Amino acid sequence: MTDYDENVHEDTKVERNESIWNGSASLVEIRRDLHAHPEAGWKEFRTTALAATELDRQGFTIHLGDAAVAVDERLGVPDDRAITAARHRAYKEGVPEGLLKRMGDVTGLVAERTYGDGTGPVVGIRIDMDALERVEARDESHKPFRDGFVSRHPEEMHACGHDGHTAIGIGLARQLDASDFDGTLKLFFQPAEEGGRGAIPMSRSGHVDGVDYFAALHLGLGNETGKVIAGYDRPLCNCKFLVRFTGQSAHAGNAPQTGANALQAATTAIQNLYAIPRHSAGASRVNVGKVSSPNGQNVISDHAEMMIEVRGETTEINEYMMEKSNRIVTHSAEMHGVSYDIETYGKTTTFESDEEMVASVSDSAAMVDGVTAVSTREQFGASEDASYLIKRVQEQGGKATYIGIGSDHPDGHHTPYFDIDETSIQIAVDVLIETVETVGTR
Ligand SMILES: [Zn+2]
Ligand SMILES: [Zn+2]
C-alpha cells in the first residue's frame, strides 16, 4: 500500500464542492461533477468515495476496496506509481482521509441494505464507474465544455456514460426508501469495466453469491432517449493480451547477424494474426491495436510489445481465436530467435438474459414517465464484462438481465464528443425502482 498524503499539503487541495458530498446535490449535478473528475480503470478513488459517502448516509452497509473485489483476480491494473498518483489526486480533490485509508490501493464498492423484514429476495444492480484514457473535446460545440463540466483530468474522459451510471446508482439508493420494495438491495459499484478488467474480481468477491435477481445497465448504445431494451443478449466473448518479445540488440551496420530482432517477430505475428481463418460456427474478430519498439533505426530491436484482442460469438470461437493467436506468437518468436511472454489483461464472456427478468423490466419500463418505446430483446453488438457477474448469478440459480436505457448522444461511445442526454438518468432510476419493486413483491 502506498502513502497518499506524502508531499501533499492542505494548500494544494482544490476547493471542494460541499453539496456533492453532503447529499444536497441533484443527480444531474452529481453526474456533472463526476464528468469533470473522470477516473480510468482501477483509479476510481474519488468516484468510489463519493458513492460510498452517499450510500452510507442512506443506511447501506459499505464494503470497500479489497472487501469489494477479489484483489488477486484483478486484470490490467496500472503500475504502483499510477495508482499512487490517482490516490494523491483524489485526496487533493476532497476525498476524506478515512475513506482513502479504508480503500487502500483498491477501488470498488459493494453497498447493501435490507428493506422490510429481510425475508424478501436479494436484488443486485451493477453500476460501472470508470472513465476512458482519452482526451475530451474542448470547443463550444461540446456541451460539457460549454457548460463548464469538461474533464479536469487531461487524459481521462467519461466517454461511455459511466458518470451517468454512477449517478443512477446513487439515485436508486435515494429513491428506494419511498418504494414498496421488500428485500435486500446490493449495489455493485464496479471499477475498470473498460477493457473487461473489473467484473471477474467483483464476481469472485462473494457478494454476488446468493443474489436472486440481477441487472446491469448501459446508457446510450445508439438508442434514443425514451427507448428501453429490457434484455440484451449474446455480447461477443473477448480476450485482450499484451505480448512482449525480447531479442538481442546489435549494431545494424557492423554486426546485424549477431542480433535477434524482436520487432521482426512482432510484425511476423501481426501479418499472421489477421490471417486466422474465420470460424464457420459464428462471428470472430482479431485486432492488433498497438505496437511499440523503443530502438532507433541503427539498432537491431531487442524489445517489442503489442496489444492484441480477439473476440468470438461463443466461448468456443473465442478460445479458437486465442489458441490460434498463441500459436502464431510462439512461432513468430521462434522464427526470429527471440523469447516472448503473453499477459492477459482483460476478458469478457457471453450471456443470455433470463425471460423472467426481461419480462419484469419491460413491464416496469412501460409504467415509467419518459419511456416512449420498450424493446424486449436485442443483440448486444460489442463486449461487456458484466457477463461474468451475470454468469455467476445464473450459475447459482438467480435470474439476470442486461438493460439498455436510451440516451441521445451526439457522437459515438469512446469518442471525444460523446455526451449523454441527462434526462435519461431519471428515466433509468425510475425503470430500476419499478423493476426492483416488481421482483421484490412477488
Ligand atoms: Zn465503453
Ligand atoms: Zn460503457
Side-chain angles (χ1 to χ4, degrees), residues 128 160-162 165 193-194 218 384 413-414:
D128 45 1
C160 201
H162 302 184
H165 296 175
E193 187 281 326
E194 300 292 352
H218 211 298
E384 227 315 333
H413 287 258
H414 297 193

Side-chain angles (χ1 to χ4, degrees), residues 247-264 293-304:
Q248 176 66 49
S249 66
H251 193 294
N254 71 14
Q257 74 284 359
T258 64
N261 196 325
L263 185 56
Q264 263 189 302
S293 178
N295 299 298
Q297 85 291 333
N298 54 356
V299 178
I300 299 296
S301 174
D302 61 346
H303 184 79

Side-chain angles (χ1 to χ4, degrees), residues 114-322:
T114 298
Y115 300 76
D117 64 6
T119 56
V122 180
V123 182
I125 307 287
R126 194 290 295 265
I127 302 292
D128 45 1
M129 307 186 285
D130 56 324
L132 283 116
E133 282 173 350
R134 68 146 309 122
V135 178
E136 182 162 17
R138 292 181 159 269
D139 64 63
E140 292 294 322
S141 70
H142 186 49
K143 186 165 186 263
F145 180 78
R146 206 166 58 234
D147 291 355
F149 61 97
V150 74
S151 173
R152 291 173 195 175
H153 300 161
E155 288 174 355
E156 285 153 285
M157 174 190 173
H158 270 295
C160 201
H162 302 184
D163 47 348
H165 296 175
T166 307
I168 291 164
I170 290 171
L172 176 59
R174 283 183 180 179
Q175 272 176 242
L176 197 59
D177 228 356
S179 78
D180 296 329
F181 176 55
D182 188 349
T184 298
L185 177 68
K186 285 191 179 186
L187 291 171
F188 297 91
F189 285 87
Q190 186 205 303
E193 187 281 326
E194 300 292 352
R197 299 174 288 156
I200 291 178
M202 199 155 245
S203 74
R204 294 177 188 162
S205 65
H207 295 294
V208 187
D209 304 358
V211 170
D212 299 299
Y213 299 100
F214 180 86
L217 80 157
H218 211 298
L219 291 169
L221 304 177
N223 301 298
E224 71 275 17
T225 303
K227 182 175 177 185
V228 172
I229 294 98
Y232 270 116
D233 288 320
R234 293 187 291 283
L236 294 173
C237 301
N238 160 314
C239 183
K240 296 158 205 287
F241 41 97
L242 174 69
V243 180
R244 294 185 198 86
F245 292 104
T246 308
Q248 176 66 49
S249 66
H251 193 294
N254 71 14
Q257 74 284 359
T258 64
N261 196 325
L263 185 56
Q264 263 189 302
T267 53
T268 301
I270 292 166
Q271 286 295 322
N272 289 282
L273 284 163
Y274 283 101
I276 297 173
R278 300 304 79 179
H279 200 294
S280 62
S284 62
R285 305 273 192 279
V286 60
N287 190 51
V288 182
K290 187 175 182 181
V291 188
S292 65
S293 178
N295 299 298
Q297 85 291 333
N298 54 356
V299 178
I300 299 296
S301 174
D302 61 346
H303 184 79
E305 281 188 17
M306 55 187 196
M307 293 166 92
I308 306 173
E309 68 161 36
V310 297
R311 301 184 196 231
E313 195 173 326
T314 62
T315 26
E316 292 69 32
I317 299 169
N318 196 41
E319 267 157 30
Y320 159 81
M321 295 300 291
M322 284 161 59

Side-chain angles (χ1 to χ4, degrees), residues 225-228 364-374 405 427-428 430-431:
T225 303
K227 182 175 177 185
V228 172
S364 302
M367 293 188 284
V368 167
D369 273 355
V371 173
T372 50
V374 181
I405 302 284
I427 293 175
D430 292 342
V431 169

